Amino acid sequence: MQGLRIGIIGIGGFGKQHLRMVHHAQEAGRVQLVAVAEKYPQGCAAEVEKLQSAGVKVYEDYLEMFDQEELDAVNIATPIPFHFEMAMAALERGIHVYLEKPPTVLIQELLVLKQKAQASGKVCAVGFQQISCTALRRLQAYLVSGGLGQVQQITAVGKWKRLDSYYQRANWAGRIKLGSTYVLDGPLSNALSHIYHNCLFLASSQEGRFAAPELVQAELYRAHPIEGEDTNAVFTRTDNGVEIFYYATLSAPVDESPVIKVYGTEGKATFVRSYPARVKIEKNDGQVEEWEPVFEDEYLRVFHNFLDAIEQGVPVYSSIEDTEPFVRGLNGAYLSAQRVMPIPGEWVIRKPEGNTIATSISDIGKIMDEASEKKVLFSGLGVPWAVKTSPVSVEGLQEFALSFEGKD
């Protein structure tokens, strides 16, 4: 067999997506899947048996896999709390890393990972697969070339529905901290993190790059019986003066495709995060343009880009360096909010659905749409459960620490 020798850490849960990506690359002759590490193999016994029958070594300890196998690259598909230590261990051994998002939720860890990747000379890509979207990258190029004049503001609205079972699937889900380890699990860091990441991409004045947050003001709320946030409103001012208004919830009555709108001095662009993505350009002079949708597998695109970066030295769609603005903005949101505010029961609807419970916030869709149109946080609308916060500077932020635990 030909190709890079590759391993995977974590094959349960989202790890199945990584298995699919690696198998696709293996069929194309680009990689050999030689080993996987899975701490709880009994939870995916059928997959383990299938891998072993194909000659793939299965380990429970990822460090043992590193020590026993000569790997060129590794996919890390484990829960958020383990990303930093696993990526560091791989880079220290000279192994290229494809790390699931978010890379880490602490700016201090991100900066260490960034330095380690640079010192090792190895590729460290982060699995923000949506950044490989052809329409998104075309839109950024259009904006950088001045297609809408000077970009001034960006709004993003993400409305998803997540049941109690979503938070019960793992002990870290919906948590701010797990023991002494920060998790910060919520729509901003995890479920709808792509949308914020995309906003920073579209705000950049340089093609292929990301704008850096300078000022962040955020309101974090929860309707589910969890520790962390499930709903937020986040304002970000970037280093090039673009204002980003990001609104996300996992307490919507139904799932809707997230929508990003870019406002420039010469018009507006609407990016609908559907599959395939849709783009509509509306110029101030009345011209309207809608781009032909492109059907593509973004998971495969971003993984093959990772392999191209190793073999050909092409730029990574989302490198560990590229995610510094994202983590800085995430930390700024928590520093601004100071705590996750519970939404009073009279505004929360909880009802049985199947074997679990669905949670939604009264009129949340209308509230988010109105806030995005007026470009204010929820407190700026006078929403009765909203609590005003203060902006914080994140320019040069080197360390995140917050004493609150998300309690009432």
Side-chain angles (χ1 to χ4, degrees), residues 137-145 201 204-210 315:
R137 302 188 74 81
R138 179 184 171 188
L139 178 56
Q140 191 208 45
Y142 177 83
L143 297 171
V144 170
S145 70
F201 185 66
S204 178
S205 303
Q206 295 179 283
E207 192 169 347
R209 305 298 295 170
F210 295 77

Side-chain angles (χ1 to χ4, degrees), residues 283-321:
K283 302 295 285 288
N284 292 343
D285 62 8
Q287 294 183 61
V288 177
E289 180 182 354
E290 295 191 53
W291 295 353
E292 189 70 24
V294 177
F295 291 86
E296 57 196 353
D297 190 321
E298 294 167 5
Y299 289 103
L300 298 184
R301 280 176 58 82
V302 77
F303 184 64
H304 280 276
N305 166 254
F306 167 62
L307 301 179
D308 290 342
I310 295 172
E311 298 172 344
Q312 304 165 28
V314 305
V316 178
Y317 286 147
S318 181
S319 68
I320 194 69
E321 293 86 356

Side-chain angles (χ1 to χ4, degrees), residues 137-159:
R137 302 188 74 81
R138 179 184 171 188
L139 178 56
Q140 191 208 45
Y142 177 83
L143 297 171
V144 170
S145 70
L148 288 183
Q150 181 69 39
V151 175
Q152 298 174 313
Q153 296 173 318
I154 297 175
T155 64
V157 178
K159 308 168 191 172

